[in-house]
Structures are given as C-alpha cells and as structure tokens.
Amino acid sequence: MTNPHSSPKISIYGDHAILVNWETDGFSDAVNDMVHSLATALRESDKYIEVVPGYDSLVCVFDLGQRSVDSTKRHIEDVLARRSFGESKVGQLVEVPVHYGGNDGPDMGTICASAKLSADEVIALHSQQDYRVCMMGFIPGFTFLSPAPKELHHPRLATPRAKVPAGSIGIANWQTGIYGLESPGGWQIIGRTPLSIFEAKRETPFLLNAGDRVRFIPQ
Amino acid sequence: MTITILQSGTQTLIMDAGRPGHRHQGIPGGGAADKLSFAIANHLVGNNWDTPALECALGGLHIRFDENYIIAISGAEMWSQNQGLNLPINKAVQVEAGDILTMSFTRSGCRSYLAIAGGVKATPFMGSVSTYLPAKLGGLDGEALKTGDILNIGAPISGPRTLPKSHIPLLSNHIVLRAEQGPEWEYLSDASKRYLFTTPFYATVATDRMGARLKGDSVTLDTPLNMTSSPLLPGSLQIPPDGQPILALADGHCTGGYARALQVIQADLWLLGQIAPGAAVSFRRNLADDADSILRGKNSYYADLIPGFSF
C-alpha cells in the first residue's frame, strides 16, 4: 500500500510546467484525493495558467515570462507542506447504459483472449462494480475511472486508432474509461454508451465530474 | 459589415487567443496555432493582438468583402491575390466592397492569418471564440467555415500600423524546435536520446491542430512502459510503442498515456502551428538555464511594438 502522506516527487516538465508525481503501485484512492486537494489549493493561488490533476500526478503550467521554475517549485513545496488534506467529496452515482462487443466494442475479442473468458464473462466482470471518476481529461468529457477488475487489464494498442467514436468504453492497462467525444485513441474498446458525456450547448455541459461514481448497465 | 466565404479552402477557422485554464476538464487552450503570426496580422490592421481573425491552413480560401476593409495576412507564405492582383503579406492593405480575395499554394509554413480591421464576430464559449472542432466549440456553431458562410465584422478601433521587417518571422518547411527533457526522458534508449536531437523527422498527413504524427527512424524505450494516463501539454513529444513520435499541438489532448520524451520550450510554441504535412521537424536540445533568457529576449523584442503580446 502506498502511504498517502509520503512526499510526491516534484520535477520539471519542460521549461514552463511542473510535474508532481506520487509513487503508487497501480492505483490509490488516497493518492487521488491528495492530487485533487493539491489541485484545488494551486488553483486558488491564481499563479498558474493550468492546473491539471491526473490519477497519481498533477501538472501545473506557468508563464515562464512571469515566474521562474525555481520559485514555482518552491511554491508547490510550500503548499504541500502547509496544506492539510481532507477527504474528497463523494459525488453523484450515474448509471451508464453500455452496448458491449460487436461494432461498439471492436477489441472485445482481444480482451476475451487475454483474460481467457467469454464475452459474457467479460461483460459481467466489467459491469459488476461501481467506479470512481478519478479525472476528466484527454478531450472534453473523457472520463478516467478507478481500476477495472484485474482479469481485464490489457496494454493500449501499439498504434492508436485515428478515430474512436464518442461514448466508447475502453481499457488501458488497469484503467477503464469513457471517450466523451470522437477522437483518436489507443485504448482497447469493449463497448459504447449512447449517453453524451459532454455537450457544449447543454445547461451543464459535463455529465460527469471528478468525484462522481459510475455504474455500467449492460444493454 | 460582413464578408462572405466563397470557398473555405482546406480548413479555415475563426481563432482568437484561446481559452486557457480548462485542461482539467479536457478542454485544451487552443486558439491561434501560431500566436505570433496571428498577433502580427491583428496589429497591422490596428486591432488588439488577440482580436478574432481567420486561420487558413494550406490555402484554398476565397472571400468576398461586402464593405471596404483594411486587411492583413501573416504567417504561412501563400499566393494571395485581391481582384487578381498579388497582395503583399505582413502589410495592411485596403480592400473595397465586392473585392474577392484568394489565398492558395502555400510555399512555406502551414497557416496564414487573415485579420480584418474591427475583427470577426462570433459567440464565445468559455471566454473564447476559437474553434475547437473535436467538441464543436467556438467559431460558427463549432464548425470550420463553409462556402456561403457570412461573417460579421466589428468596427475598427484604430488605423493601420506597420512592423519593422526584422520583426516578421521567416518560415521554412524545416521547423526547428528547441526542447527540454520530458518527464519520461529517462526511459528512452541511449541511441534514441542522441537520435532525437540529431536527425529530422517528417510530419505525416496525420497532422492537424491536435497533433503531428511524425515519421523517422523508430524511437525506442529501454523497457516497455505501461503508463497511467497523465496530463499532457502542447509541445510534448510522445513516444507510442511503435516508435513513431506524436507531437501535441494547440488542440492537443489534455492527458496522454505514452512516454513524454521532450517538451518544446515556451518561446518556440508558436512555431508548432506552422508544421504542414510533409514538413521536416527537428529538435534541438535546450539547456534549462537558457530557456528563461530566450523567452525574456523574445518577449522584450515585441513588447514595445505589439502591446500586451507575449510568447
């Protein structure tokens, strides 16, 4: 188990960004909580152009014309030292209908072969648990969820696809997630939801936010 | 106060300075892919540097002006004509109601910026009218311009201006980018570490505002890396398992799962917008201590001439 209170590694990401990275062996709820708490604190400081949380890492982008790398690193260290990290808020539970396999899940065969399971067993495994929304990103509405069951873990495609349809549900190593929009992508696609996760013209453009939970309902 | 799109060309988009600050929601900052050329075009016609303008990739754009306007074209070198007369680039010119402008045959670079005094009007989303095609944001209904589109033009706020020739960037079809090590640099094989900074890559046809898929000798890692998805920035060079690098551009993905080998320095990010399919792309190692002075130098070079602009 990862000790969530262990200090993360702060490193330089090019000349105008800093990467904060926690060592985890896979995934840790506690680390993801820390990532989001740090993100909130850094965003409140108003010193950054972007504060982008990940599962176990955070990138903040600054303007090198305004701040130096060293002062930025020091600021992050100060915030980490001072901040008392609380529990993350538990969001809403969202049910997401999924068509697994077929044209909607072109990589179902790959996952069945590596898991040595039938498609029905893969579907049952993938939809049996609730997932936590750990981060949003990649493209608008891309939903990164907490780990899939171990049997389903599989590396990304060696060459990413030029087009993955919106709503596609995929697997990348232990991660599982939903493509919010059509985009290029390298995840193993096992199904697709008709829900639109991001809709600019909707009153609330994002259907899901970090902290929510997702339950897949096979159709 | 309108202009009419007669032919939209390869891809013509309404752009401003973009919508930074939303990468955590998966929305890239976007905006003019070559911020410098965009700022120059606006400056020449008397606009603020970040006024909405047209970004025309690779040419093919035909426009009819429905009123008299002051316009300027900067960025990629295209063959531009107004009423059949060659137009200079990087110079404010007067066009008249009914005039037809054609922009075609890009000789160097990828994107030209057409600024019109008063600026192009569009409805902002999250504070910007910049078109982001993957999510249909900004622009006219989130789309690239189409034949028959009519754009509203604002009222000019000042007269045309000039810029010394020394401040006009020279573009070529060999884009050289200064870069520093990315977070996963250490995972590269020793051969690849040398190779990345010595040999040019070529941008394939899979090159758009999101990224440039590059082609060259394979870049390899010492051991395969099964990364957890992590934030990604414009100017990050990712190495997928097939060894053909992908350079993230203005509309690039907000997170990625491949090794981030290099990061282009802030002072050179504007050049990412001028990578055309087929262009050669080289990386030069930048020492961390130099990045600061390079950026300060470039910022101060333009600071007095284009108010508010910085790299």
Side-chain angles (χ1 to χ4, degrees), chain A residues 13 50 57 63-64 138-140 175, chain B residues 21 26 229-230 236 253-254 266:
Chain A
Y13 182 171
E50 303 274 1
S57 64
D63 179 356
L64 184 64
F138 184 52
I139 45 168
Q175 298 172 246
Chain B
S229 296
S230 187
S236 293
H253 291 151
C254 298
Q266 187 178 335

Side-chain angles (χ1 to χ4, degrees), chain B residues 37-38 40-42 44-45 54 56 61 63 65 70-82 86-93 95 101-104 111-116 168:
Chain B
S37 300
F38 162 79
I40 289 173
N42 266 321
L44 292 172
V45 299
L54 300 186
C56 171
L61 177 66
I63 282 181
F65 299 102
I70 302 288
I71 66 162
I73 299 168
S74 294
E77 209 182 316
M78 292 185 191
W79 185 33
S80 301
Q81 293 192 318
N82 189 51
N86 289 346
L87 277 185
I89 68 166
N90 297 305
K91 190 175 187 304
V93 292
V95 295
L101 167 74
T102 59
M103 294 165 66
S104 53
R111 294 182 175 86
S112 281
Y113 292 88
L114 169 64
I116 301 164
I168 306 295

Side-chain angles (χ1 to χ4, degrees), chain B residues 202-248:
Chain B
Y202 293 88
T204 65
V205 289
T207 294
D208 56 18
R209 284 182 46 92
M210 295 179 82
R213 194 83 70 92
L214 305 181
K215 204 168 167 50
D217 283 353
S218 190
V219 180
T220 53
L221 308 182
D222 272 337
T223 49
L225 184 63
N226 278 334
M227 256 180 71
T228 303
S229 296
S230 187
L232 184 73
L233 302 175
S236 293
L237 186 76
Q238 284 190 292
I239 313 295
D242 69 3
Q244 301 297 300
I246 303 169
L247 184 59

